[in-house]
Amino acid sequence: MKTKNLSSDDIEEATSFIKTNLKSKNMEREQFSCKQFKNDISVSKFKCKTTNQSNIVKSITDLDNTITIVHGKPGTGKTFSAIQGALKEFKNGSYNKLYLCKSVKTLDNKSEDIGFLKGTLEEKVAPFLFSFDFNFKQIISSSVYDAARTAQIIEFLPLAYIRGIGLNNCIIILDEAQNINNSILRTVLSRIGQNCKLIILGDTQQKDSSTGHTSGLDFLIKHFQDIKGFNVIEMTSEDQSRSEIINKIEDRYDNLEKKGIKIA
């Protein structure tokens, strides 16, 4: 703030406004607690259209499962069903945080470090949060979701910042896992603490990276699903909840790739 042409009264008034505004925001955060958030969630209204979508919710709320992996074609309700399961488990459990994680690797293969992006942290991650925002607001009211975000009960956690921390008493939703390499996904898995659940989502057919790195999601599905506490759910064309033409389009892409035609 430039104060060269301001009187002392103006400066005092501006300072008072800033302090009051910050105090108001802090009070808003304190007033909207986890208990309030849980009370405002009506899980009885949640609906799943297919058996696999129901299985996602059941897997997340199963006491024996720590990690739920959901993979399959786009439009099969992976994110939508995962959010329903996470909210149901959050409401009934002793959690205090719901972390949203997503690969922020851009199409030109920029790294997961979002420091190169312009703006504040909120401005940097806003484009990557859109799919989460959209799905949450289809399930719970916008006002409840926005209040939970303001109170940081629901918080976006960039993968670049996940090293060196332990995640306890929380549920983590990791989306677009097909773009995450083994090293980063291994780091995410090693962050799991006490009273923590991890939900991993992705489509092994859609990779934004062309660096040649092995997809952490592919590797995890192939080598780890026999471990107790892991549950893997594969979504198929029968779970398609968008236009029926999507299945025909996806099948055509698959057939072209099998013929050796480069898609990416």
Side-chain angles (χ1 to χ4, degrees), residues 32-34 37-38 41 43 46 60 79-102 129 132-133 135-136 139-140 144-145 148-158 167-175 195-201:
F32 193 81
S33 63
C34 279
F37 179 52
K38 291 178 181 183
I41 301 172
V43 296
F46 294 174
I60 295 168
T79 305
F80 189 85
S81 302
I83 290 174
Q84 286 194 137
L87 288 171
K88 188 173 183 178
E89 177 66 6
F90 193 93
K91 181 179 178 71
N92 297 326
S94 55
Y95 308 97
N96 53 36
K97 278 274 192 180
L98 209 168
Y99 286 110
L100 309 178
C101 300
K102 194 171 189 176
L129 265 175
F132 280 126
D133 290 342
N135 279 287
F136 265 102
I139 299 169
I140 59 177
V144 171
Y145 174 69
R149 291 277 289 122
T150 299
Q152 295 183 336
I153 296 168
I154 300 176
E155 187 173 359
F156 186 77
L157 179 61
L167 300 172
N168 301 299
N169 304 311
C170 64
I171 298 175
I172 309 157
I173 304 178
L174 172 59
D175 200 7
N195 190 35
C196 177
K197 290 211 170 190
L198 173 62
I199 306 160
I200 302 174
L201 312 173

Side-chain angles (χ1 to χ4, degrees), residues 202-224:
D203 176 7
T204 56
Q205 298 300 311
Q206 292 189 339
K207 298 188 186 78
D208 292 338
S209 174
S210 57
T211 60
H213 289 160
T214 301
S215 166
L217 178 61
D218 283 341
F219 194 83
L220 205 61
I221 292 170
K222 184 176 180 180
H223 297 287
F224 290 82

Side-chain angles (χ1 to χ4, degrees), residues 54-215:
S54 296
N55 288 339
I56 293 172
V57 176
K58 289 177 182 177
S59 176
I60 295 168
T61 57
D62 189 336
L63 293 176
D64 293 329
N65 288 330
T66 301
I67 300 169
T68 296
I69 302 171
V70 185
H71 68 105
K73 294 184 175 183
T76 51
K78 297 188 295 293
T79 305
F80 189 85
S81 302
I83 290 174
Q84 286 194 137
L87 288 171
K88 188 173 183 178
E89 177 66 6
F90 193 93
K91 181 179 178 71
N92 297 326
S94 55
Y95 308 97
N96 53 36
K97 278 274 192 180
L98 209 168
Y99 286 110
L100 309 178
C101 300
K102 194 171 189 176
S103 170
V104 296
K105 188 182 291 295
T106 54
L107 293 178
D108 59 355
N109 288 320
K110 294 278 188 180
S111 72
E112 294 290 347
D113 183 359
I114 63 174
F116 70 91
L117 297 173
K118 294 180 180 179
T120 64
L121 179 59
E122 283 290 323
E123 291 169 339
K124 289 176 181 181
V125 302
F128 304 101
L129 265 175
F130 178 77
S131 62
F132 280 126
D133 290 342
F134 181 85
N135 279 287
F136 265 102
K137 291 179 179 181
Q138 302 299 307
I139 299 169
I140 59 177
S141 74
S142 296
S143 60
V144 171
Y145 174 69
D146 290 338
R149 291 277 289 122
T150 299
Q152 295 183 336
I153 296 168
I154 300 176
E155 187 173 359
F156 186 77
L157 179 61
L159 295 177
Y161 300 168
I162 206 168
R163 290 182 176 87
I165 63 173
L167 300 172
N168 301 299
N169 304 311
C170 64
I171 298 175
I172 309 157
I173 304 178
L174 172 59
D175 200 7
E176 304 292 352
Q178 74 275 2
N179 296 326
I180 302 171
N181 63 36
N182 274 326
S183 176
I184 294 175
L185 191 51
R186 183 176 182 178
T187 300
V188 174
L189 291 166
S190 68
R191 300 304 95 194
I192 297 174
Q194 298 298 317
N195 190 35
C196 177
K197 290 211 170 190
L198 173 62
I199 306 160
I200 302 174
L201 312 173
D203 176 7
T204 56
Q205 298 300 311
Q206 292 189 339
K207 298 188 186 78
D208 292 338
S209 174
S210 57
T211 60
H213 289 160
T214 301
S215 166

Side-chain angles (χ1 to χ4, degrees), residues 205 252-264:
Q205 298 300 311
R252 179 63 56 88
Y253 272 122
D254 290 343
N255 290 334
L256 289 171
E257 284 188 316
K258 288 176 182 177
K259 290 178 181 179
I261 298 174
K262 190 174 181 180
I263 303 298

